[in-house]
């Protein structure tokens, strides 16, 4: 594939050369040629191109009146100086001389002509088609130049099949580093990739996220704008307006007026101008004409230090100019070399026979006419660019030094092919006036940029070096205090579409650009991560955040801890109740055969006291971190214990009613009740029913420890799951029915003998029980916090205490304080009074 491509290229070159060389037979100026053992070519824009109507393809003849390019002249002389120094060196190429062929590339056609001339064979002016291009040996070994990306791309494409080294001093486009397309291309100017990254870092440094972007026609400006737009967008910088200055742009034409109008309408304060020098001049003349002031202009290296731009009348009023510049280097002796050239006797300039154009692009009549007073002044920007051309010459010389084995002190003479020299140039690593010269794998130099600011504070324009950028990776080091901003109080101008949001407020994009947004606070339970300012992130399950937060906080894990004051009070009250139950059981056991104990139920009292004690013991499960055993037992054991107590209370009240009211009226029912142990059977059946409910509850709706996250955003509630289960509700309703039954039976016995009449106390205790649970459920409906288990326990403790107080405390009082009432005679007298009373009624 490469061979076919090379053949096609060779065919095109042959056709072109036949025409190009036939039309240009004029002898070159002696300043443009130098014989030597090995020849280098130099392509320099000594003149600017002329726009003219053409009726056939022909090479632009550069040497025209009024088109001289001072900048290109200094590059031209830098190469001549470099070759002269190398030829005078006794160590670099000691017994070998370098020669050169220099060409004026004022236009694309002149550039192609020069490239074809470079590829021609020594002697005959043609390019041969060969099967193996690696054996092709043109008259020139390497090429220095050209200056622009467009021309360098053309020259590199023509030279690449022959692997002839091409070292550009001014073409900075990133595309030229693609080795598949341009395998023989190298350069001594930094790659635009690093310039673009430096510009983006500069924008980020000052917080400029809303910018306008202007480029120039051609590869340099358009590819630079494209790369800058991509990298800026990736870094969150938005392009408010973008445009390209065309080749044909003129100050004041409609195209430039429209561009200025759009720039003025754009709200961006910062304008990045990625342009070559000629179109940058047109652009800023239009800016001054439109009176477009008060902006920050970020300059590319092509024009930032150009006097051609700083000389625009009125440009000092446009605002602040920052830019990226190639680090200033000096070519020692260049100024003296140019002065010597101006003083030298070069003879009278030859006349031009073709109107205003001479017939060779190796002629510069104006250069020949220079004197010490009329020669161009060597300025900073041209000196830096000239150093790049000078450095490229030395890179070729060092590559040739390695190839010819000159380290021994004597260079071997022989045929050298361009591809051999290319290999060695890639390996060079040497110091040139304290500057390290070497190339990376892409043929790019290892150098850096200066960050500069224009300074109009003095009588004349100058610039201030603010810092530098180095790579890789690209890093910026600048001193911001050196900048004189155009605004009031020397404040850094702002260039944003929307101001930054407050902490904890997310950006909601309005429109097409992510830089234009509204600020909305993050909701509770979410936070704003600084890595993503456009979306609130939810907190973790164990975390929480208030509204408008930029971080999450750990949730507080809460449960009814034993160390809290509330817990101490409840623990003490429950323990006291348990001790009273145990004490009452002991008291009743001691007075088991007394009338009071027998009237209270006898041995049934111990079952009642035990059930209350079991309920009291279950309340200890409400303290501390919930565990599986505690969750299983605390509510179920309480419900079962209280069921047994209520069953006993109910059957005890019902039994007294049967004895006193139905024994004579319904003797059959009474005998059946007594013979079948109705009281015990009722307690067993009632308790068994509740036990079945509780077992079903524990199996089907198993209470388990759980971490509850929904009720409080900042708390994790450790609790059991029984409150939401159907089993809990069934057990509670069952006890409610028993309470109503006990209440009814006690109320029916309100007219029994005084010693057997417990209606008032039992009624009071049951009413207190109802009120306790009503209060609990009411509280639970409005409060669902950490102390709800304490309220639940308080309700249970109240129920147990009311049952104990309403039934057992009066009997304990009689036993301990009124022993005279705890006698058989007293009870018999009470029964006789009840009988007489019923008989009289």
């Amino acid at each position: 594939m490469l061979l076919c491509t090379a053949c096609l290229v060779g065919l095109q070159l042959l056709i072109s050369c036949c025409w190009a060389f036939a039309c240009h037979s004029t002898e070159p100026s002696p300043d443009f040629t130098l014989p030597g053992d090995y020849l280098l070519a130099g392509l320099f824009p000594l003149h600017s191109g002329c726009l003219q109507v053409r009726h056939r393809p022909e090479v632009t003849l550069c040497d025209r009146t009024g088109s001289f390019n001072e900048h290109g002249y200094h590059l031209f002389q830098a190469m001549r100086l470099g070759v002269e120094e190398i030829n005078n060196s006794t160590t670099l190429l000691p017994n070998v001389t370098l020669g050169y062929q220099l060409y004026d590339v004022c236009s694309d056609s002149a550039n192609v002509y020069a490239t074809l001339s470079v590829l021609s064979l020594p002697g005959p002016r043609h390019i041969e088609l060969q099967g193996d291009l690696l054996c092709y040996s043109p008259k020139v070994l390497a090429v220095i130049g050209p200056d622009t990306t467009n021309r360098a791309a053309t020259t590199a494409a023509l030279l690449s099949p022959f692997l002839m080294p091409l070292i550009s001093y001014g073409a900075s486009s990133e595309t030229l580093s693609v080795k598949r397309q341009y395998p023989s291309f190298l350069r001594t100017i930094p790659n635009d990739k690093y310039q673009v990254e430096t510009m983006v870092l500069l924008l980020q440094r000052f917080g400029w996220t809303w910018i306008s972007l202007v480029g120039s026609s051609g590869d340099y400006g358009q590819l630079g704008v494209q790369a800058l737009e991509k990298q800026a967008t990736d870094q969150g910088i938005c392009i408010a307006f973008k445009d390209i200055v065309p080749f044909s742009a003129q100050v004041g034409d409609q195209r430039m007026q429209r561009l200025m109008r759009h720039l003025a309408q754009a709200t961006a304060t910062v304008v990045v101008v990625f342009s070559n020098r000629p179109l940058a001049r047109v652009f800023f003349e239009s800016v001054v004409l439109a009176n477009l002031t008060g902006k920050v202009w970020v300059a590319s290296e092509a024009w930032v230090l150009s006097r051609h731009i700083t000389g625009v009348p009125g440009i000092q009023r446009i605002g602040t100019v920052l830019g990226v510049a190639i680090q200033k280097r000096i070519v020692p002796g260049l100024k003296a070399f140019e002065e010597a050239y101006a003083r030298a006797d070069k003879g009278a300039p030859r006349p031009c026979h073709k109107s205003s154009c001479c017939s060779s692009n190796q002629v510069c009549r104006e250069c020949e006419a220079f004197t010490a007073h009329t020669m161009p002044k060597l300025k900073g920007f041209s000196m830096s660019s000239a150093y790049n051309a000078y450095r490229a010459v030395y890179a070729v010389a060092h590559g040739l030094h390695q190839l010819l084995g000159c380290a021994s002190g004597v260079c071997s003479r022989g045929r050298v092919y361009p591809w051999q020299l290319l290999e060695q140039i890639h390996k060079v690593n040497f110091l040139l006036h304290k500057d390290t010269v070497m190339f990376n794998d892409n043929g790019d130099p290892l150098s850096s940029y200066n960050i500069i600011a224009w300074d109009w504070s003095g009588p004349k324009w100058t610039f201030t070096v603010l810092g530098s950028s180095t790579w890789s990776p690209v890093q910026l080091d600048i001193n911001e205090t050196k900048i004189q901003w155009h605004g009031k109080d020397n404040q850094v101008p702002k260039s944003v579409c929307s101001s930054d949001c407050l902490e904890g407020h997310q950006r909601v994009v309005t429109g097409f650009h992510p830089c234009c947004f509204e600020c909305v606070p993050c909701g509770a339970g979410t936070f704003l991560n600084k890595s993503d300012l456009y979306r609130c992130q939810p907190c973790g399950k164990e975390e929480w955040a208030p509204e408008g937060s930029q971080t999450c906080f750990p949730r507080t894990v809460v449960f009814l801890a034993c160390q809290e004051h509330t817990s101490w009070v409840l623990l003490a009250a429950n323990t006291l109740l348990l001790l009273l139950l145990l004490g009452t059981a002991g008291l009743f056991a001691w007075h088991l055969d007394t009338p009071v104990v027998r009237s209270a139920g006898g041995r049934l009292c111990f079952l009642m006291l035990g059930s209350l004690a079991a309920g009291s013991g279950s309340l200890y499960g409400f303290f501390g971190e919930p565990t599986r055993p505690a969750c299983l037992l605390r509510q179920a054991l309480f419900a079962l214990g209280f069921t047994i107590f209520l069953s006993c209370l109910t059957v005890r009240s019902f039994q007294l009613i049967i004895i006193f009211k139905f024994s004579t009226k319904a003797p059959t029912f009474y005998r059946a009740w007594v013979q079948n142990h109705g009281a015990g059977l009722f307690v067993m059946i009632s308790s068994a029913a509740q036990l079945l409910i509780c077992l079903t509850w524990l199996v089907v709706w198993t209470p388990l420890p759980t971490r509850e996250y929904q009720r409080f955003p900042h708390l994790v509630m450790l609790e059991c799951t029984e409150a939401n289960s159907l089993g809990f509700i069934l057990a509670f309703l069952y006890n409610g029915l028993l309470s109503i039954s006990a209440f009814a039976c006690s109320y029916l016995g309100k007219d029994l003998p005084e010693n057997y009449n417990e209606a008032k106390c039992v009624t009071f205790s049951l009413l207190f029980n109802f009120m306790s649970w009503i209060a609990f459920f009411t509280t639970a409906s409005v409060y669902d916090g950490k102390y709800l288990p304490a309220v639940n326990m308080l309700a249970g403790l109240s129920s147990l205490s009311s049952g104990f107080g309403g039934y057992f405390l009066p009997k304990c009082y009689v036993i301990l304080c009124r022993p005279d009432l705890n006698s058989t005679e007293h009870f018999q007298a009470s029964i006789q009074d009840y009988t007489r009373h019923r008989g009289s009624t």
Side-chain angles (χ1 to χ4, degrees):
M1 183 67 182
L2 180 60
L3 182 61
C4 295
T5 303
C7 291
L8 291 172
V9 171
L11 180 60
Q12 294 172 350
L13 297 182
L14 179 61
I15 296 171
S16 301
C17 286
C18 290
W19 170 78
F21 295 155
C23 300
H24 294 80
S25 58
T26 305
E27 288 296 321
S29 169
D31 303 329
F32 284 78
T33 61
L34 179 70
D37 298 320
Y38 300 99
L39 293 183
L40 309 182
L43 310 183
F44 303 103
L46 284 169
H47 295 83
S48 58
C50 61
L51 298 176
Q52 58 186 20
V53 178
R54 300 180 184 181
H55 301 287
R56 65 191 183 100
E58 57 185 5
V59 178
T60 301
L61 298 174
C62 297
D63 191 29
R64 302 180 318 280
T65 303
S67 64
F68 180 71
N69 182 358
E70 293 183 2
H71 180 73
Y73 172 77
H74 297 303
L75 305 179
F76 168 83
Q77 294 290 18
M79 179 168 178
R80 294 181 68 243
L81 172 62
V83 172
E84 184 176 303
E85 288 179 352
I86 292 166
N87 287 338
N88 291 333
S89 171
T90 58
T91 57
L92 189 53
L93 295 173
N95 59 320
V96 171
T97 59
L98 290 181
Y100 53 71
Q101 290 281 343
L102 306 182
Y103 298 88
D104 188 354
V105 288
C106 63
S107 65
D108 291 340
S109 61
N111 180 61
V112 173
Y113 164 71
T115 305
L116 296 179
S117 179
V118 163
L119 284 172
S120 65
L121 294 172
R125 301 175 66 81
H126 69 276
I127 300 172
E128 289 185 353
L129 289 175
Q130 296 183 353
D132 186 3
L133 294 179
L134 297 181
C135 296
Y136 189 75
S137 182
K139 63 181 180 181
V140 171
L141 283 179
V143 180
I144 309 300
D147 57 330
T148 66
T149 295
N150 286 17
R151 293 170 188 171
T154 300
T155 302
L158 292 172
L159 298 182
S160 289
F162 304 93
L163 293 180
M164 179 180 286
L166 172 66
I167 307 180
S168 176
Y169 49 81
S172 56
S173 174
E174 185 178 353
T175 58
L176 292 169
S177 293
V178 180
K179 291 299 141 189
R180 288 176 300 175
Q181 293 179 289
Y182 310 107
S184 63
F185 178 83
L186 304 97
R187 54 181 152 206
T188 52
I189 186 173
N191 189 330
D192 276 343
K193 170 187 176 183
Y194 304 116
Q195 180 179 194
V196 167
E197 291 182 12
T198 300
M199 285 181 165
V200 171
L201 284 178
L202 189 64
L203 296 172
Q204 289 180 308
R205 181 66 171 265
F206 296 107
W208 296 327
T209 59
W210 187 239
I211 65 170
S212 296
L213 185 54
V214 178
S216 59
S217 290
D219 286 350
Y220 175 77
Q222 289 176 294
L223 294 177
V225 164
Q226 181 181 337
L228 186 57
E229 181 179 18
K230 182 181 184 304
Q231 287 203 32
T233 302
D234 290 344
Q235 297 300 321
I237 298 171
C238 301
I239 311 301
F241 169 71
K242 180 181 70 172
D243 205 349
I244 298 293
V245 180
F247 281 123
S248 59
Q250 297 293 326
V251 179
D253 65 13
Q254 289 186 354
R255 180 74 172 78
M256 295 306 296
Q257 287 180 6
R258 185 167 63 252
L259 194 156
M260 293 301 113
R261 189 164 56 251
H262 289 160
L263 272 179
Q265 291 171 353
T267 56
T269 305
V270 175
V271 183
V272 180
V273 183
F274 213 106
S275 172
N276 58 35
R277 286 183 302 281
L279 292 180
R281 171 88 182 196
V282 174
F283 174 78
F284 280 105
E285 286 179 346
S286 300
V287 168
V288 173
L289 183 64
N291 196 28
L292 196 59
T293 60
K295 292 187 180 293
V296 177
W297 308 88
V298 179
S300 63
E301 54 81 23
W303 66 270
V304 66
L305 295 180
S306 175
R307 294 278 183 175
H308 188 58
I309 309 302
T310 60
V312 173
I315 197 171
Q316 64 270 23
R317 300 193 303 270
I318 64 173
T320 303
V321 179
L322 305 178
V324 178
I326 298 170
Q327 284 196 335
K328 186 178 181 181
R329 299 286 184 182
I330 296 175
V331 182
L334 179 59
K335 184 177 180 181
F337 183 79
E338 291 183 356
E339 290 174 349
Y341 174 79
R343 288 193 300 267
D345 183 12
K346 297 177 283 295
R350 290 173 292 177
C352 191
H353 301 293
K354 290 190 177 183
S355 181
S356 63
C357 296
C358 284
S359 59
S360 172
N361 283 335
Q362 289 184 292
V363 173
C364 178
R365 293 179 302 112
E366 193 168 349
C367 302
E368 297 172 359
F370 283 146
T371 66
H373 299 290
T374 61
M375 62 176 287
K377 292 183 179 180
L378 185 57
K379 300 169 185 175
F381 180 74
S382 293
M383 177 64 85
S384 295
S385 298
Y387 179 80
N388 287 333
Y390 178 77
R391 180 163 53 171
V393 174
Y394 268 90
V396 174
H398 277 268
L400 198 58
H401 174 91
Q402 295 170 186
L403 184 61
L404 299 179
C406 300
S408 62
V410 179
C411 301
S412 62
R413 293 170 177 267
R415 175 169 288 187
V416 174
Y417 294 105
W419 64 269
Q420 294 175 316
L421 180 58
L422 178 63
E423 281 188 338
Q424 297 304 320
I425 294 175
H426 270 288
K427 299 176 184 178
V428 298
N429 187 347
F430 61 94
L431 280 176
L432 180 62
H433 306 301
K434 298 182 180 181
D435 172 38
T436 300
V437 179
M438 61 183 297
F439 301 96
N440 63 16
D441 293 339
N442 293 325
D444 297 326
L446 301 180
S447 54
S448 58
Y449 288 109
N450 280 336
I451 309 300
I452 66 100
W454 285 11
D455 186 0
W456 294 95
S457 59
K460 294 183 179 180
W461 174 88
T462 184
F463 65 89
T464 302
V465 177
L466 306 176
S468 62
S469 71
T470 56
W471 58 83
S472 53
V474 175
Q475 294 180 331
L476 202 60
D477 180 23
I478 63 174
N479 184 357
E480 300 175 21
T481 60
K482 294 183 177 181
I483 306 175
Q484 294 295 320
W485 300 105
H486 62 270
K488 293 182 179 179
D489 303 323
N490 200 35
Q491 294 296 311
V492 179
K494 290 186 177 181
S495 188
V496 295
C497 182
S498 300
S499 299
D500 287 340
C501 295
L502 298 174
E503 293 183 351
H505 287 61
Q506 68 173 338
R507 299 178 177 182
V508 179
V509 176
T510 57
F512 300 103
H513 298 284
C515 302
C516 303
F517 50 81
E518 294 178 351
C519 298
V520 177
C522 289
T526 63
F527 73 103
L528 189 68
N529 193 330
K530 291 184 179 180
S531 62
D532 184 3
L533 300 177
Y534 295 91
R535 186 168 64 91
C536 297
Q537 305 287 337
C539 293
K541 196 173 183 180
E542 301 292 330
E543 298 175 322
W544 76 286
E547 183 180 282
S549 176
Q550 61 176 349
T551 186
C552 290
F553 306 96
R555 286 196 183 201
T556 303
V557 178
V558 296
F559 52 87
L560 191 60
C562 297
Q563 295 83 1
E564 298 182 19
H565 296 298
T566 303
S567 301
W568 279 113
V569 173
L570 292 174
L571 273 171
N574 191 52
T575 302
L576 177 61
L577 174 62
L578 194 58
L579 292 175
L580 288 174
L581 291 171
L582 293 175
T584 302
L587 182 65
F588 274 41
W590 185 260
H591 298 87
L592 184 61
D593 295 328
T594 62
V596 170
V597 175
R598 289 201 305 270
S599 67
R603 298 183 184 278
L604 187 64
C605 292
F606 297 109
L607 179 60
M608 297 172 70
L609 289 169
S611 65
L612 291 176
S616 178
S618 71
L619 297 182
Y620 287 106
F622 285 91
F623 296 99
E625 184 174 348
T627 61
R628 187 183 181 92
C631 289
L632 288 172
L633 293 178
R634 69 183 190 184
Q635 293 281 21
L637 184 59
F638 176 84
L640 183 60
F642 204 56
T643 295
I644 295 174
F645 171 75
L646 291 174
S647 300
C648 294
L649 185 63
T650 302
V651 77
R652 188 332 189 121
S653 300
F654 183 71
Q655 193 162 343
L656 288 175
I657 294 172
I658 291 176
I659 293 173
F660 284 99
K661 293 188 176 183
F662 296 102
S663 58
T664 55
K665 294 182 179 179
T668 305
F669 175 77
Y670 176 73
R671 283 195 300 271
W673 174 266
V674 174
Q675 291 173 0
N676 293 297
H677 306 286
L681 189 62
F682 176 81
V683 171
M684 289 179 59
I685 293 173
S686 176
S687 302
Q690 181 68 294
L691 178 62
L692 181 62
I693 292 174
C694 290
L695 290 176
T696 305
W697 171 15
L698 297 180
V699 172
V700 179
W701 302 284
T702 308
L704 295 174
T706 184
R707 300 171 73 88
E708 206 287 323
Y709 298 93
Q710 301 301 321
R711 277 180 252 162
F712 299 96
H714 61 291
L715 300 178
V716 178
M717 304 286 295
L718 298 186
E719 60 185 20
C720 299
T721 58
E722 74 275 349
N724 298 324
S725 66
L726 183 59
F728 172 76
I729 297 173
L730 290 174
F732 177 80
L733 288 177
Y734 186 81
N735 279 342
L737 291 175
L738 282 177
S739 298
I740 294 172
S741 301
F743 180 84
C745 292
S746 298
Y747 184 78
L748 288 174
K750 66 181 184 298
D751 56 348
L752 294 180
E754 181 180 354
N755 290 334
Y756 296 92
N757 187 348
E758 298 158 346
K760 292 181 180 180
C761 292
V762 171
T763 300
F764 174 78
S765 66
L766 291 176
L767 285 175
F768 194 79
N769 173 56
F770 291 144
M771 291 174 61
S772 299
W773 287 106
I774 290 172
F776 165 71
F777 283 108
T778 302
T779 304
S781 65
V782 296
Y783 172 74
D784 204 11
K786 168 184 176 180
Y787 293 102
L788 188 61
V791 178
N792 191 350
M793 180 186 173
L794 182 62
L797 187 60
S798 299
S799 297
L800 296 175
S801 300
S802 63
F804 170 76
Y807 189 78
F808 288 102
L809 275 185
K811 296 169 176 55
C812 292
Y813 172 77
V814 171
I815 293 173
L816 295 174
C817 300
R818 297 293 303 273
D820 56 308
L821 301 179
N822 189 15
S823 62
T824 304
E825 293 78 8
H826 177 74
F827 273 78
Q828 287 177 349
S830 177
I831 294 171
Q832 289 173 0
D833 289 341
Y834 172 76
T835 304
R836 284 197 300 270
H837 177 73
R838 282 183 59 90
S840 62
T841 57

